């Protein structure tokens, strides 16, 4: 099937309810997917005459010829009225990417980092990518092999936030720049064959990357080979004389041929979308009824959930809701794995506790958080407190941050993977250690002047405090805005941004 301008327009209309943004970017690798995407957007611009298009080509330096290919792409799109940017990746310690065991992961993170920087610099809210149905299918099989949840099996959505490999400081975050870049995938409902056919019919040039056919290079390449060549050959009937039929109805491989996998993935995607939408509606309901109370200064929150949230299929909805909001408070390094813990461990344990119909409180520690659930059978609402789990004394040192303060602001430091903090000293140079408050240990070294109006207790455990190196006294609880007067100390703090929050549509402005 050829992807016409009209089919592309329909795809865009599904993605943008209020119209395509005035400025967009394309991840332009030079392959057929992204080249067709650039060509169709160029056609769309000619019709609408109000679209500013940027194309970003990344030179991964994996192959010697990659630099030359990047500039060949530049020549192709030079007459398409597209702002083309070619950027070569720089790897840590100047490592040769061809020697990396985890090249695919490293290159992906660096690629997204560069594209994010460009989109933010140019105020581009939407980054188009040429991902198609075959890409979804390969991801589906990978995650099926990894025992993924239904949301993992569904794959990425046609509209999703630009992935960020690390937590951004307030100076870097979208909240500061008032821009959240979204990835847009208008080819999700088209096959690779459709893209190749459309390129051929319209004479659209593209680069062919030979590494994409090397089944030994990446797991995705191997799956592509498996789906496209191995399984189809196993489904063909082979006769003694060497002749073949179109299909062997007795082949055990029929259930995993491409067409069947596409159907299975579509079912998973539909199912996951249904529950994701329900989780988002639950979030909206709880917030509109003041049932979500967040305490950023304490790094904690309190939820009040209707009892049905812990019954039957609602458990999955509740798990997904929690996953979307807890990143701010969790210190997990690999938070994207957290959903399975919520669905398969936390929520079932809470549901079992409530089914006993006994009054009391259940405490569960998971994801470096304490979930404190109280049951009262006379009430239809279940209160839940969520806060940082206690920090073991021997682990406190690994969390500490050292600040050398002068008249200029220090660099932002991420404390305990939760709080961004920076400070400066107007009066004199100061050496400050930011440490987690442990009441039993640190109460005796809280500066006496602070105690005149403030009584610290175990409630403040794990919060960052400023320890002055010269006096070995705690002189500030920055997130509580409590400090010694007249010492010339200024500070700013913020919870980290939620990288797993619900996606909003890019603005058309």
């Amino acid at each position: 099937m050829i992807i016409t301008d009209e089919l592309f327009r329909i795809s865009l209309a599904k993605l943008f309810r209020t119209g395509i943004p005035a400025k967009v970017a394309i991840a332009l690798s030079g392959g057929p997917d992204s080249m067709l995407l650039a060509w169709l957007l160029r056609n769309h611009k000619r019709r609408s005459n109000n679209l500013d298009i940027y194309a970003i080509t990344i030179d991964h330096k994996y192959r010697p010829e990659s630099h030359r290919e990047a500039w060949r792409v530049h020549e192709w799109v030079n007459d398409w009225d597209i702002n083309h940017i070619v950027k070569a990746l720089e790897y840590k310690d100047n490592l040769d990417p061809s020697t990396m065991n985890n090249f695919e992961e490293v290159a992906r993170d660096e690629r997204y980092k560069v594209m994010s920087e460009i989109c933010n610099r140019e105020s581009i809210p939407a980054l188009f990518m040429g991902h198609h149905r075959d890409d979804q299918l390969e991801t589906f099989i990978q995650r099926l092999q990894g025992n993924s949840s239904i949301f993992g099996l569904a794959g990425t959505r046609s509209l999703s936030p630009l992935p960020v490999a690390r937590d951004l400081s307030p100076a870097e975050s979208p909240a500061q720049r008032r821009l959240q870049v979204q990835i847009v995938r208008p080819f999700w409902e088209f096959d690779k064959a459709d893209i190749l056919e459309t390129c051929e019919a319209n004479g659209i040039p593209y680069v062919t990357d030979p590494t994409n056919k090397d089944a030994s290079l990446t797991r995705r390449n191997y799956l592509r080979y498996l789906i496209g060549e191995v399984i189809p050959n196993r489904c063909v009937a082979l006769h003694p004389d060497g002749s073949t039929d179109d299909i062997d109805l007795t082949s055990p491989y029929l259930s995993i041929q491409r067409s069947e996998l596409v159907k299975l993935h579509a079912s998973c995607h539909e199912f996951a979308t249904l529950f994701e939408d329900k989780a988002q509606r639950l979030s909206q309901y709880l917030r509109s009824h003041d049932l979500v109370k967040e305490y950023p200064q304490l790094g904690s929150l309190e939820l009040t959930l209707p009892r049905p949230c812990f019954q039957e299929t609602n458990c999955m909805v509740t798990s997904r809701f929690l996953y979307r909001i807890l990143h701010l408070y969790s210190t997990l390094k690999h938070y994207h794995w957290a959903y399975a813990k919520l669905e398969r461990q936390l929520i079932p344990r809470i549901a079992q506790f409530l089914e006993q119909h006994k009054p009391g409180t259940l405490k569960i520690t998971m994801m470096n958080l304490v979930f404190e659930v109280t049951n009262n059978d006379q009430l239809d609402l279940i209160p839940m407190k969520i806060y940082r789990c206690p920090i073991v004394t021997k682990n406190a040192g690994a969390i500490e941050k050292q600040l050398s303060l002068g008249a200029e602001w220090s660099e932002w430091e991420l404390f305990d993977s939760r709080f961004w903090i920076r400070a400066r000293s107007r009066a004199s140079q100061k050496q400050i250690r930011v440490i987690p408050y442990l009441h039993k240990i640190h109460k005796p070294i809280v500066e006496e002047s602070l105690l005149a109006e403030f009584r610290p207790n175990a409630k403040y455990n794990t919060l960052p405090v400023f320890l002055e190196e010269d006096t070995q006294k705690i002189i500030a609880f920055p997130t509580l805005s409590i400090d010694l007067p007249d010492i010339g100390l200024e500070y700013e703090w913020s919870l980290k941004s939620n990288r797993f929050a619900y996606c909003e549509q890019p603005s058309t402005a």
Side-chain angles (χ1 to χ4, degrees):
M1 177 180 67
I2 291 179
I3 305 172
T4 63
D5 289 333
E6 177 61 16
L7 285 175
F8 187 64
R9 185 196 66 77
I10 293 171
S11 180
L12 291 180
K14 292 179 182 178
L15 291 166
F16 303 105
R17 293 188 296 270
T18 58
I20 186 172
K23 185 181 284 190
V24 301
I26 308 164
L28 186 65
S29 68
D33 316 330
S34 61
M35 286 298 294
L36 175 58
L37 186 53
W39 185 80
L40 288 168
L41 279 170
R42 186 278 307 264
N43 294 351
H44 184 82
K45 176 177 181 176
R46 286 179 173 176
R47 292 193 305 274
S48 61
N49 201 31
N50 63 345
L51 184 62
D52 196 6
I53 305 174
Y54 285 73
I56 306 168
T57 298
I58 303 296
D59 175 9
H60 294 87
K61 298 182 179 178
Y62 189 84
R63 295 177 293 113
E65 61 272 23
S66 63
H67 177 75
R68 184 176 66 253
E69 289 174 354
W71 287 102
R72 190 195 312 168
V73 172
H74 179 77
E75 294 174 1
W76 287 338
V77 302
N78 194 41
D79 296 328
W80 288 7
D81 197 16
I82 290 175
N83 305 297
H84 189 218
I85 299 170
V86 177
K87 180 69 175 178
L89 293 186
E90 299 296 333
Y91 297 97
K92 186 177 180 181
D93 299 327
N94 293 317
L95 286 176
D96 180 352
S98 64
T99 64
M100 296 180 184
N101 293 328
N102 62 337
F103 165 73
E104 198 172 17
E105 178 184 351
V106 171
R108 177 182 181 274
D109 290 345
E110 290 300 316
R111 183 167 64 245
Y112 279 132
K113 177 183 176 183
V114 168
M115 291 189 289
S116 176
E117 290 172 352
I118 293 173
C119 286
N120 275 282
R121 185 184 71 216
E122 302 296 339
S123 299
I124 300 170
L127 175 65
F128 279 72
M129 291 192 170
H131 297 146
H132 45 77
R133 188 151 42 202
D134 294 56
D135 293 320
Q136 278 279 56
L137 192 58
E138 292 161 12
T139 300
F140 170 67
I141 298 173
Q142 278 187 312
R143 293 180 177 178
L144 194 63
Q145 292 174 325
N147 193 30
S148 182
S149 71
I150 190 67
F151 298 100
L153 295 177
T156 52
R157 290 187 165 193
S158 54
L159 186 68
S160 62
L162 179 67
V164 181
R166 61 183 177 85
D167 292 303
L168 301 179
S169 73
E172 303 171 292
S173 68
Q176 178 72 16
R177 299 177 181 182
R178 302 183 184 278
L179 177 65
Q180 183 183 42
V181 181
Q182 305 294 343
I183 292 181
V184 184
R185 302 177 177 91
F187 288 165
W188 245 189
E189 297 179 3
F190 300 105
D191 295 331
K192 179 75 169 186
D194 299 330
I195 292 171
L196 293 173
E197 183 180 352
T198 307
C199 287
E200 182 69 23
N202 292 281
I204 300 170
Y206 57 83
V207 173
T208 300
D209 185 350
T211 63
N212 287 338
K213 294 185 178 181
D214 183 353
S216 66
L217 183 62
T218 68
R219 187 179 177 190
R220 184 172 287 271
N221 284 3
Y222 173 72
L223 291 175
R224 190 177 301 132
Y225 167 68
L226 198 66
I227 299 167
E229 298 184 35
V230 176
I231 294 176
N233 289 335
R234 297 292 177 89
C235 292
V236 172
L238 179 64
H239 300 292
D241 61 0
S243 63
T244 60
D245 291 335
D246 287 341
I247 193 167
D248 179 4
L249 297 178
T250 65
S251 172
Y253 293 94
L254 290 179
S255 62
I256 57 171
Q257 64 180 323
R258 186 183 187 282
S259 59
E260 294 302 313
L261 290 172
V262 167
K263 292 177 186 176
L264 182 57
H265 172 257
S267 296
C268 290
H269 188 274
E270 181 181 2
F271 186 69
T273 300
L274 171 67
F275 279 90
E276 189 77 82
D277 291 344
K278 286 185 175 182
Q280 189 166 10
R281 289 198 295 272
L282 173 62
S283 177
Q284 293 167 348
Y285 170 84
L286 294 175
R287 292 184 185 280
S288 66
H289 288 76
D290 199 28
L291 298 177
V292 178
K293 297 185 183 297
E294 299 183 83
Y295 304 98
Q297 73 278 16
L298 298 175
S300 65
L301 73 161
E302 295 179 4
L303 307 174
T304 306
L305 299 168
R307 192 174 293 272
C309 286
F310 300 97
Q311 297 171 357
E312 300 178 346
T313 56
N314 288 337
C315 290
M316 188 178 294
V317 175
T318 305
S319 300
R320 197 61 178 175
F321 159 69
L322 290 174
Y323 173 76
R324 290 295 190 182
I325 67 169
L326 291 181
H327 174 250
L328 289 168
Y329 307 97
S330 175
T331 64
L332 287 183
K333 183 177 180 180
H334 300 293
Y335 184 80
H336 56 280
W337 297 112
Y339 175 75
K341 293 180 179 293
L342 295 169
E343 181 194 315
R344 299 170 184 175
Q345 299 179 40
L346 177 72
I347 298 301
R349 287 178 63 183
I350 295 175
Q352 185 179 32
F353 167 68
L354 297 177
E355 287 171 0
Q356 296 173 0
H357 302 290
K358 295 180 180 179
T361 299
L362 172 70
K363 286 187 179 181
I364 301 174
T365 300
M366 190 174 295
M367 300 163 49
N368 292 340
L369 293 169
V370 176
F371 297 83
E372 188 175 311
V373 182
T374 302
N375 183 41
N376 181 342
D377 267 3
Q378 305 303 313
L379 301 177
D380 292 328
L381 295 175
I382 307 297
M384 178 189 296
K385 296 180 180 179
I386 304 172
Y387 50 90
R388 171 71 157 97
C389 72
I391 295 174
V392 179
T393 306
K394 66 178 182 180
N395 296 333
I399 298 173
E400 294 180 3
K401 298 292 182 181
Q402 190 79 36
L403 300 181
S404 296
L405 304 185
E408 300 296 324
W409 283 106
S410 67
E411 294 295 324
W412 285 102
E413 294 285 353
L414 183 59
F415 175 84
D416 194 28
S417 297
R418 295 184 293 159
F419 297 100
W420 283 103
I421 296 175
R422 70 172 183 170
R424 64 181 177 182
S425 175
R426 298 189 309 274
S428 60
Q429 298 285 328
K430 287 185 182 296
Q431 296 297 319
I432 299 292
R433 260 194 302 147
V434 187
I435 64 174
Y437 184 68
L438 306 177
H439 185 63
K440 288 184 178 180
I441 297 173
H442 294 142
K443 183 184 177 182
I445 61 172
V446 176
E447 178 63 49
E448 291 183 5
S449 300
L450 287 182
L451 298 176
E453 298 182 3
F454 172 63
R455 288 291 181 267
N457 55 54
K459 171 185 174 182
Y460 303 116
N461 276 344
T462 79
L463 291 185
V465 294
F466 287 174
L467 177 71
E468 188 175 32
E469 292 283 23
D470 287 348
T471 62
Q472 287 298 298
K473 291 285 188 176
I474 290 174
I475 61 172
F477 288 72
T479 66
L480 303 178
S481 299
I482 294 172
D483 55 56
L484 289 178
D486 304 324
I487 61 171
L489 185 65
E490 291 184 71
Y491 48 83
E492 294 180 345
W493 68 275
S494 172
L495 275 181
K496 66 184 177 185
S497 296
N498 187 351
R499 292 193 276 130
F500 297 82
Y502 288 105
C503 173
E504 296 180 3
Q505 282 227 345
S507 169
T508 58

